[in-house]
Amino acid sequence: MAYNLEIPLNEKIQFYSYATYTHRTSFVAAWYRPSNSQQNIMSVYPDGYLPTDTTEDNDFQFTSGLKGDDFFGWHWDGSVNYGTNDSSIGLQNTINNSLGPDSPHNFHLQSLANSELTADFDIRHSFRTGLFKNPLQVAAGIEYRYQQYEVDAGEHSAWADGGYINPASYVFPNATPALPFASGLGATSPSQAGTHSRMNGAFYLDLTQKVTDKITVALSGRDEQYSDFGNALSGKASLRYQVTPWIALRGSASNGFHAPTLQQEYYQSTALYYSILPSTNQLVQSYTNYASVTNAGARALGATPLKPETSHNFSAGFVLTPLKRLDISLDAYRIDIFNQIVPISVSGAGVSGATVLNILHQEGIVPNDGRYYGYTCERNAAHTRAMGLDLQAHYLSSFGRAGSVLWTVMMNQQQHQIMRVNPLNVNLGSGVTALYRSQIGNITAIYPRNTLRLSGTWNIDNWSTTVRVSRYSKTQLWSDRGAAYDQTVAPAWLMDFDVSYTFPNRIRVSAGGNNVFNHRPQTLSKLAQGAQSLLQVNPNYSYASAYGLDGSYFYGRVSYSW
């Protein structure tokens, strides 16, 4: 649901407000557990089971403000914005093995809530400086932002250890303690729950000057003060040169700043699985903790408070308008990101994890009880670089009574590189590297190097019809085991369409579909399937796909404006 309104209060002041509310319920199948799975009790699920991840999500956003044209001669705009998203995460058709045959089958795993309140005031005015023919355009503003992130624990049975012992069988050669936690997705315990918040204030100034009839220069700066990260300055300089009436050159240089999100800093959950003890071939419980950087275990393994990501951005290009209804733009860009945040997973399992487990034992973080323990947390891992080209072209064809068609071509060519990897703070043994091969691939190979979109929108009377064709180049998901285990998705063409009709009473009805020919990515190779930790069920489509796994999506929509 949504609304958008603007009401004049007098000749100089307008009130405006808009809001959206969305509720989503989703069900996603997890990995199938066969009847002889180590995560099953055969008397409970004799044919195995397929856990289902459930999410109940509510998203609300509200903005309200006043704007006018005469605040001591300035145009002004003041507004308050509030947004919140809360999600309840659950599992159905599963089991907490440690609770034995009487375990529940449906669990509430955790609740997540993220909210933000902002208040801002912006002004703009033009001044005759006497230095140039055209006036100086000045814009400035202030902003206050409050953010809050809350992680609530799941129900007791979702994370409890009930102490059930799996009896000796062909699945368990010896009597073996059953895995705690609901099987299928990590849960949050009370010790991992919490509410976290921060504030920041900002001021910006934007100056734009048309130096001559052909040259325009713009300078802008922004200063932000965070309650947890201190001060951050960013700025931008841009230049536009109108060479002829139909061609213009443009370029810009800027630096950026991105504070770690509260989720990156504080999200926590735990999942369990079995590992094999090499010396005895015995099954050992392995705890995997997704931990905050403030967690004692993560700190012992080298986690430090996250630093903001910073960037340097450069672009240069041109704009062509060779015909009245045709415009073409081409821009080259380079973006360097410093201290890019990437998660690191550190496992204490097996021979390669001995150093990790020793550190955790020596620091008294985990008990020396024969179990394996591992941690995943965020870290400032690398300096990365993205380079590319953006092409856009639009042409409007008029067919008289038959309406008009807006043709659009959009193309992006990009390449991602890792320029530097930040070393680990603690020597965690030969089994742990500062950036795993899979993570390198997630930065350099999982994005399509080329994306092409061709579309046409035909407008006639109250009808509007859009047909869009998209092409994605090859993408890959790299495996830590080596190139032979990589997932590769071949180039693909997809088609979308949308048809809408607007009634005289301003009701608009739309219907359409995305990926209407139901194209799906390749399935995993036998080697790639063998590298997965759980049983694979075909067709098992590759997660390296830039266009998702679910095939076609069709929709209907009704909107009203007044």
Side-chain angles (χ1 to χ4, degrees):
M1 294 190 299
Y3 77 83
N4 188 345
L5 64 86
E6 183 171 320
I7 301 172
L9 300 181
N10 54 42
E11 293 182 355
K12 295 183 178 181
I13 300 176
Q14 295 87 42
F15 168 80
Y16 62 91
S17 181
Y18 52 89
T20 62
Y21 171 75
T22 305
H23 175 80
R24 288 180 291 265
T25 300
S26 62
F27 302 88
V28 179
W31 299 108
Y32 171 67
R33 273 74 168 166
S35 60
N36 62 347
S37 169
Q38 297 156 353
Q39 299 184 25
N40 185 32
I41 297 176
M42 211 169 299
S43 62
V44 178
Y45 290 111
D47 298 320
Y49 63 100
L50 182 67
T52 301
D53 305 338
T54 66
T55 302
E56 293 283 342
D57 183 85
N58 293 286
D59 188 272
F60 174 72
Q61 181 270 331
F62 170 81
T63 296
S64 187
L66 297 170
K67 61 182 179 180
D69 296 328
D70 190 10
F71 181 73
F72 300 100
W74 293 71
H75 299 278
W76 60 276
D77 187 336
S79 65
V80 175
N81 313 272
Y82 177 75
T84 181
N85 179 275
D86 62 84
S87 299
S88 177
I89 314 297
L91 265 178
Q92 296 179 356
N93 192 43
T94 185
I95 189 172
N96 180 338
N97 289 264
S98 74
L99 299 179
D102 296 328
S103 166
H105 301 299
N106 300 325
F107 301 88
H108 170 60
L109 303 179
Q110 60 188 198
S111 294
L112 307 173
N114 190 33
S115 62
E116 180 174 288
L117 173 69
T118 62
D120 48 56
F121 185 75
D122 305 291
I123 54 175
R124 57 185 175 85
H125 191 48
S126 59
F127 294 91
R128 291 284 180 180
T129 64
L131 300 176
F132 305 101
K133 174 183 175 182
N134 296 288
L136 172 67
Q137 305 294 330
V138 179
I142 56 175
E143 180 181 79
Y144 167 82
R145 180 186 295 121
Y146 175 81
Q147 297 173 306
Q148 180 173 291
Y149 178 62
E150 183 176 356
V151 184
D152 290 333
E155 63 181 281
H156 180 264
S157 59
W159 49 265
D161 184 350
Y164 179 75
I165 304 296
N166 291 306
S169 65
Y170 72 96
V171 178
F172 299 98
N174 304 299
T176 304
L179 289 176
F181 285 73
S183 176
L185 194 66
T188 297
S189 64
S191 64
Q192 297 170 317
T195 300
H196 312 277
S197 63
R198 72 172 172 219
M199 297 179 290
N200 76 287
F203 167 79
Y204 77 89
L205 178 65
D206 187 6
L207 306 175
T208 303
Q209 177 67 63
K210 200 168 185 179
V211 180
T212 70
D213 290 338
K214 294 185 175 183
I215 299 175
T216 302
V217 177
L219 298 172
S220 62
R222 184 180 180 92
D223 178 60
E224 295 197 56
Q225 185 74 36
Y226 284 81
S227 60
D228 50 355
F229 291 107
N231 193 60
L233 289 170
S234 58
K236 181 178 180 179
S238 61
L239 173 69
R240 180 185 173 95
Y241 177 44
Q242 192 73 41
V243 183
T244 71
W246 57 272
I247 181 172
L249 305 178
R250 62 187 181 187
S252 67
S254 64
N255 71 307
F257 171 92
H258 179 255
T261 65
L262 293 175
Q263 294 93 322
Q264 288 175 319
E265 291 187 281
Y266 297 110
Y267 175 77
Q268 298 195 110
S269 68
T270 300
L272 281 90
Y273 60 95
Y274 281 116
S275 296
I276 298 177
L277 189 64
S279 58
T280 63
N281 212 32
Q282 180 183 352
L283 292 173
V284 178
Q285 292 182 358
S286 292
Y287 281 69
T288 299
N289 298 286
Y290 203 111
S292 162
V293 294
T294 62
N295 180 280
R299 285 293 182 94
L301 298 173
T304 58
L306 292 175
K307 301 175 183 177
E309 297 174 325
T310 58
S311 66
H312 294 164
N313 317 285
F314 304 93
S315 68
F318 60 83
V319 179
L320 300 176
T321 52
L323 301 175
K324 182 178 180 181
R325 297 176 177 174
L326 172 66
D327 64 83
I328 303 169
S329 65
L330 179 66
D331 292 281
Y333 62 85
R334 193 185 90 177
I335 303 171
D336 284 80
I337 300 177
F338 303 91
N339 287 321
Q340 181 166 338
I341 297 174
V342 179
I344 182 171
S345 295
V346 179
S347 173
V351 176
S352 60
T355 302
V356 172
L357 208 55
N358 287 338
I359 293 173
L360 295 173
H361 289 160
Q362 290 171 6
E363 296 292 328
I365 305 299
V366 299
N368 190 353
D369 56 4
R371 295 172 174 174
Y372 291 146
Y373 296 87
Y375 288 82
T376 296
C377 64
E378 305 287 345
R379 67 181 292 262
N380 296 104
H383 165 200
T384 65
R385 175 174 295 168
M387 296 185 296
L389 290 171
D390 275 328
L391 170 68
Q392 291 192 42
H394 306 89
Y395 182 71
L396 181 63
S397 298
S398 179
F399 300 102
R401 293 184 177 180
S404 63
V405 177
L406 177 62
W407 307 97
T408 301
V409 177
M410 301 176 66
M411 190 274 292
N412 172 259
Q413 185 75 33
Q414 62 178 341
Q415 180 178 0
H416 296 261
Q417 300 172 285
I418 296 176
M419 310 305 296
R420 180 183 184 274
V421 177
N422 298 335
L424 297 174
N425 297 319
V426 176
N427 180 5
L428 300 175
S430 59
V432 181
T433 60
L435 210 59
Y436 293 102
R437 186 176 184 272
S438 59
Q439 294 172 315
I440 294 173
N442 288 343
I443 295 172
T444 63
I446 203 169
Y447 302 106
R449 288 204 172 187
N450 178 270
T451 303
L452 175 66
R453 290 186 173 88
L454 311 172
S455 68
T457 299
W458 177 32
N459 293 297
I460 178 171
D461 298 328
N462 293 345
W463 290 92
S464 179
T465 302
T466 297
V467 176
R468 180 171 53 251
V469 176
S470 303
R471 181 191 182 274
Y472 300 92
S473 63
K474 180 183 76 172
T475 54
Q476 288 185 307
L477 189 65
W478 289 5
S479 170
D480 290 329
R481 295 194 178 191
Y485 297 88
D486 291 348
Q487 301 177 28
T488 300
V489 175
W493 290 88
L494 281 71
M495 179 177 286
D496 310 327
F497 79 90
D498 180 272
V499 179
S500 64
Y501 182 81
T502 304
F503 292 91
N505 59 4
R506 298 183 181 178
I507 293 178
R508 184 181 180 92
V509 179
S510 304
N514 298 332
N515 188 8
V516 295
F517 294 117
N518 198 36
H519 183 84
R520 294 177 187 262
Q522 284 71 38
T523 57
L524 303 189
S525 67
K526 290 184 178 180
L527 277 176
Q529 289 197 41
Q532 306 301 309
S533 59
L534 293 171
L535 179 70
Q536 306 296 293
V537 179
N538 284 313
N540 192 343
Y541 300 110
S542 172
Y543 283 92
S545 167
Y547 46 88
L549 316 177
D550 298 326
S552 298
Y553 171 78
F554 296 94
Y555 60 86
R557 185 165 52 231
V558 178
S559 60
Y560 175 69
S561 61
W562 68 94

